[in-house]
Amino acid sequence: MMMENNIVKVSTNGDGISKEGAAIPPEKPTPQGDKGPGPLSVDIPIHHDIKRQDSLPLSPQPMSPDPVHDLPVELLQMGWRRFWSKREQRPYFFNKNTNESLWDMPHFPGMSSPQNNFLTDPLGIGGEGPTPHHMDARLSRPSTDIPQPQTGEKRRASMEGLGSPSKRPAFAYSPFWNFDIPTNVVIFERVPCCLPPPMPEVEKFRTQFVNKLRQQYQELCHTREGIDAPSESFNRWLLERKVCDRGKDPMLPSQCTPEVSQSMYREIMNDIPVKLVKPKYTGDARKQLFKYAESAKRMIETRSASSDSRKIVKWNVEDTITWLRKQGSPSYEDYLERLAHLKRQCQPHLTETAKSSVEGICSKMYNISCESVRKIHEFHWQLLKEHGIKEPAKFPDPINPRKVLCYPIQMCVPCPRLQTVELMQDKETHTLKCNGEILKINSSHFCKLEQLYKLNCRDDPRFDHFLGRVWCLLRRYHTLFGLGPNEGFGLQGALSVSVFECLHRVFGVTFECFASPLNCYFKQYCSAFEDTDGYFGSRGPVLNFKPVSGSFEANPPFSEELMEAMVDHFENLLQESKEPLSFCVFVPEWRDPPTEALIRLESSRYKRKSVVLPPYEHEYRHGFQHMCPKDDMNVKSSHGTLVVFLQNDAGFQRWNPTPEKIKELLLAAKPKDTVV
């Protein structure tokens, strides 16, 4: 060890022994084959009035000056060391060469078995005592047989003990994922992610800004236009902005061109002067027609509109009111037709009148978001700098990248110790509590996150950060969903398990383009947030993911701008690659009017086959599947779904969507209660 300015430089190698010779006992042996992150160098500040940690005994019991190496020379040469288990309060023996751990001292050839040694067993209780007489009265009292430990018995963790609160319960459900499927996706090597690691205090800080931004959106719409903020409009704004955003925050936009969001602008305009819904009864249709006419007249009179616009709107409104008074008993269809006519005549003039105001709402929302991102970024790096972690420079792109099988996002910024997260569990639910804030997740999904973390995380083999990262993951997605009871329901809808099984078996699909650790079926997938999801196997946002070959499933969130960008991205990939590449795309069949993404998919030169899943004849998994009851897990779709196969020539030759394969897909998509 070296001491410079009261700093101890400790550098460890892979076997738990410092380069200066001091042993560093592992609390839990690393399983064989699970490689750690490699050599680690840590700066530890010390004070003159504090004892050096390597001079303190490893246990509260008196031991030899060097308890780690207090073993026979033969055992030391075999790689055995002696450590103290804080959890079990007893010593154990660990072999640095084989990663084996034992409670009892291991034996070596030529070592004599302990037989009533006076030095080690002065009372003789370790040996076999005299055989008691069959009339001995002591045999008449009840006793409990305690089996003697077998020689070489392996050390058992406390969680395996009977009645242990940490014991994993056996789940009585069919797994809704398959992490045994290997990937067939090939990519080029890419640089690590430079985003700072997620931290609970930062996620709470971000949640405050996002919730405040939602409330300000509602206030701006109400005060400027006299309407409520369109339902789910804020969530679609986030999705649309992230298509073109190049900012530093994984959720909020801060570097977009143009500033005015077309998604937000369009949705606010659709609700001006009043929000229209499909009426259920004839009386509702009459009320809605009258309400629209009155709102249009009031708006054109109170706003700065041109004289021609005022004349046209007023004349059409008065004509509609006259029609309502003269008509005896119009039908339901008559009211709908009259409303459509009035909107065609008035809406262009109302849109022109409200244009500057609505653009002002969009611009103000974007500017508030930019300021929020700046504060979050400063707060995050301030916390990291307190732990001696500095912001890294951006990595240059590889000069000659190699082709490799796709791998999860790699984080280049080290993670400090996270805040303590308390875990409470019952039969069906796991509850995580951090700083008084409670988040819940179904026990099955908690088990799923455990498996994903074990498969993909490389910087935390001992699961020290697992609970903290699960809490950050849940907090991030709950912030994305929104404040309403069912808000964000459609953002996380997933295909049914039977459809995924069919896609893999018939079309070789091994990868999801739009998923999350909470709803993924495969262990390889793309998701919205690379910083929170990368530890659980995410490959990052799909628009930044550029595969060379593979078979993919794509079920995007229902954002028109995101779906359009997805189609452009897939077509570019298919054009650039000569290797087998296939995308099975699921989008809603919106044809009144048809969306731009729907038109592009059906007219794409890479379209090999398309099929429609009729409404109520297929189902999706619940958007909140990680916290909803098992009985509500599957939801029938109220709209049709268009399935399009985009493939290059090599992909079509390998995964040709034949009529027989399409029939299998249609059968797999049917709800269980309709399958004959």
Side-chain angles (χ1 to χ4, degrees):
M1 292 192 181
M2 300 174 293
M3 296 187 60
E4 298 176 3
N5 300 326
N6 295 335
I7 297 291
V8 177
K9 302 273 186 185
V10 180
S11 177
T12 67
N13 54 23
D15 59 3
I17 306 298
S18 69
K19 293 180 180 179
E20 285 74 21
I24 302 176
E27 176 60 30
K28 181 180 178 182
T30 305
Q32 189 170 0
D34 187 6
K35 303 300 182 184
L40 174 68
S41 181
V42 184
D43 291 345
I44 306 176
I46 65 170
H47 302 278
H48 296 291
D49 56 344
I50 299 178
K51 277 189 174 183
R52 283 176 43 170
Q53 294 298 314
D54 57 345
S55 65
L56 298 177
L58 292 176
S59 71
Q61 300 178 356
M63 299 181 68
S64 63
D66 186 9
V68 175
H69 298 82
D70 187 18
L71 293 172
V73 177
E74 292 82 359
L75 291 180
L76 293 176
Q77 293 175 349
M78 294 169 61
W80 288 100
R81 301 291 185 270
R82 182 183 183 185
F83 300 114
W84 180 261
S85 172
K86 296 180 182 178
R87 181 177 57 209
E88 302 292 343
Q89 291 296 302
R90 58 184 290 193
Y92 69 93
F93 302 88
F94 176 72
N95 193 313
K96 68 176 185 178
N97 296 330
T98 64
N99 284 343
E100 184 181 6
S101 59
L102 302 174
W103 286 121
D104 301 318
M105 180 181 292
H107 292 272
F108 59 89
M111 180 178 178
S112 60
S113 59
Q115 294 282 346
N116 290 345
N117 191 329
F118 178 76
L119 295 178
T120 59
D121 188 15
L123 299 180
I125 60 178
E128 296 182 0
T131 304
H133 193 270
H134 70 279
M135 295 299 294
D136 195 332
R138 291 175 295 179
L139 294 177
S140 63
R141 66 183 181 184
S143 62
T144 302
D145 293 333
I146 303 176
Q148 293 293 329
Q150 301 296 322
T151 302
E153 179 184 7
K154 290 193 174 183
R155 175 179 173 231
R156 184 179 68 180
S158 61
M159 69 171 58
E160 299 176 16
L162 297 177
S164 171
S166 301
K167 184 180 180 181
R168 299 289 184 266
F171 297 107
Y173 66 92
S174 300
F176 44 88
W177 64 83
N178 190 341
F179 296 158
D180 295 329
I181 297 176
T183 183
N184 58 14
V185 177
V186 176
I187 63 174
F188 285 106
E189 288 180 310
R190 50 184 181 169
V191 298
C193 174
C194 292
L195 289 175
M199 302 174 68
E201 50 267 60
V202 178
E203 288 306 314
K204 292 186 66 173
F205 196 60
R206 178 181 286 108
T207 299
Q208 295 172 5
F209 281 103
V210 174
N211 292 343
K212 185 177 179 180
L213 199 57
R214 290 181 186 272
Q215 296 171 359
Q216 288 174 322
Y217 183 38
Q218 167 65 23
E219 293 172 2
L220 287 171
C221 290
H222 185 73
T223 56
R224 294 194 180 189
E225 302 300 332
I227 62 172
D228 290 330
S231 176
E232 300 281 352
S233 174
F234 185 87
N235 291 341
R236 285 187 288 270
W237 174 72
L238 290 177
L239 294 174
E240 183 258 353
R241 293 280 84 185
K242 296 311 288 185
V243 171
C244 60
D245 183 47
R246 298 296 179 265
K248 299 179 179 179
D249 193 82
M251 176 177 285
L252 290 174
S254 61
Q255 192 175 341
C256 300
T257 304
E259 292 185 3
V260 176
S261 164
Q262 292 302 311
S263 171
M264 180 176 285
Y265 177 86
R266 182 177 61 248
E267 294 192 31
I268 296 176
M269 280 299 187
N270 286 340
D271 287 357
I272 290 177
V274 64
K275 181 178 177 61
L276 298 178
V277 296
K278 187 176 182 179
K280 194 172 184 180
Y281 303 106
T282 303
D284 297 333
R286 177 185 175 88
K287 290 179 182 178
Q288 186 162 258
L289 175 59
F290 185 79
K291 187 176 181 181
Y292 183 90
E294 287 293 320
S295 300
K297 181 180 179 181
R298 187 185 315 112
M299 178 179 175
I300 206 69
E301 290 177 345
T302 57
R303 299 287 187 92
S304 58
S306 65
S307 58
D308 291 341
S309 296
R310 290 188 180 184
K311 289 178 182 179
I312 295 174
V313 171
K314 283 185 178 181
W315 186 88
N316 281 279
V317 168
E318 291 172 0
D319 183 62
T320 300
I321 293 176
T322 302
W323 181 84
L324 286 170
R325 290 172 180 170
K326 288 184 177 180
Q327 290 290 332
S329 57
S331 65
Y332 178 84
E333 289 75 15
D334 292 337
Y335 284 122
L336 292 184
E337 183 180 350
R338 190 71 190 189
L339 177 60
H341 171 75
L342 180 61
K343 188 174 182 180
R344 282 195 303 269
Q345 297 298 320
C346 296
Q347 198 65 31
H349 303 282
L350 299 177
T351 299
E352 186 64 28
T353 302
K355 180 179 179 180
S356 60
S357 176
V358 176
E359 287 180 346
I361 294 176
C362 298
S363 296
K364 187 164 186 178
M365 288 292 295
Y366 175 73
N367 292 328
I368 296 174
S369 175
C370 292
E371 182 63 18
S372 301
V373 169
R374 184 186 64 80
K375 293 179 180 178
I376 295 170
H377 183 78
E378 291 178 355
F379 177 69
H380 202 160
W381 281 106
Q382 179 184 353
L383 292 178
L384 292 175
K385 288 177 182 177
E386 292 176 0
H387 293 85
I389 301 174
K390 297 181 180 179
E391 188 170 359
K394 186 177 180 180
F395 282 86
D397 293 330
I399 300 176
N400 295 313
R402 298 176 301 166
K403 288 182 181 180
V404 295
L405 291 175
C406 71
Y407 55 90
I409 287 292
Q410 303 295 315
M411 304 292 290
C412 68
V413 181
C415 180
R417 181 174 293 277
L418 302 180
Q419 288 184 333
T420 302
V421 176
E422 300 177 31
L423 177 64
M424 297 159 281
Q425 65 185 85
D426 54 27
K427 187 176 181 180
E428 299 290 341
T429 307
H430 277 60
T431 302
L432 291 87
K433 182 178 180 181
C434 182
N435 285 339
E437 185 171 356
I438 294 177
L439 298 173
K440 295 186 177 182
I441 181 174
N442 291 341
S443 297
S444 56
H445 283 76
F446 185 85
C447 175
K448 176 186 179 183
L449 292 180
E450 252 185 338
Q451 293 188 31
L452 285 172
Y453 196 79
K454 183 177 180 180
L455 289 169
N456 298 286
C457 184
R458 290 293 175 264
D459 71 338
D460 186 24
R462 293 175 53 179
F463 277 54
D464 293 331
H465 302 315
F466 173 68
L467 291 180
R469 287 170 175 171
V470 171
W471 192 93
C472 290
L473 174 75
L474 293 175
R475 180 68 275 166
R476 176 72 62 83
Y477 278 94
H478 288 191
T479 302
L480 173 66
F481 294 151
L483 302 173
N486 289 320
E487 193 173 0
F489 172 82
L491 295 178
Q492 287 284 296
L495 302 179
S496 62
V497 173
S498 58
V499 172
F500 274 121
E501 291 174 345
C502 176
L503 290 175
H504 172 64
R505 183 180 69 255
V506 178
F507 300 102
V509 173
T510 65
F511 194 103
E512 298 168 71
C513 294
F514 297 91
S516 76
L518 301 173
N519 69 0
C520 65
Y521 176 80
F522 303 110
K523 63 183 176 183
Q524 44 270 344
Y525 58 91
C526 283
S527 66
F529 309 120
E530 52 190 335
D531 58 335
T532 54
D533 303 353
Y535 301 108
F536 301 90
S538 172
R539 272 60 172 170
V542 66
L543 298 182
N544 298 334
F545 186 69
K546 300 179 180 179
V548 178
S549 66
S551 184
F552 301 82
E553 174 270 345
N555 177 31
F558 299 159
S559 164
E560 294 186 29
E561 289 76 13
L562 178 60
M563 290 190 288
E564 293 172 21
M566 172 200 71
V567 176
D568 293 339
H569 183 59
F570 289 171
E571 288 188 333
N572 291 335
L573 294 175
L574 291 166
Q575 181 179 0
E576 294 173 359
S577 178
K578 302 300 180 183
E579 299 184 30
L581 197 57
S582 172
F583 296 94
C584 183
V585 184
F586 293 74
V587 293
E589 193 190 21
W590 292 337
R591 298 191 182 275
D592 188 23
T595 61
E596 183 67 23
L598 198 69
I599 296 173
R600 291 188 189 180
L601 279 173
E602 293 189 317
S603 61
S604 174
R605 66 189 184 98
Y606 296 103
K607 188 190 83 168
R608 305 293 181 171
K609 186 71 176 178
S610 65
V611 63
V612 175
L613 306 179
Y616 301 103
E617 294 186 19
H618 66 291
E619 60 186 8
Y620 287 89
R621 287 185 66 81
H622 200 290
F624 300 147
Q625 61 172 276
H626 65 284
M627 55 184 180
C628 76
K630 287 189 291 186
D631 296 338
D632 301 333
M633 198 64 73
N634 295 322
V635 181
K636 289 185 179 180
S637 176
S638 59
H639 58 79
T641 297
L642 177 67
V643 185
V644 180
F645 290 87
L646 300 178
Q647 299 171 331
N648 59 9
D649 293 338
F652 177 70
Q653 185 176 2
R654 184 170 181 180
W655 299 296
N656 181 12
T658 62
E660 294 78 14
K661 294 180 180 180
I662 295 297
K663 187 176 180 180
E664 278 196 60
L665 177 62
L666 292 174
L667 183 62
K670 286 185 176 295
K672 293 181 180 179
D673 56 357
T674 62
V675 177
V676 180

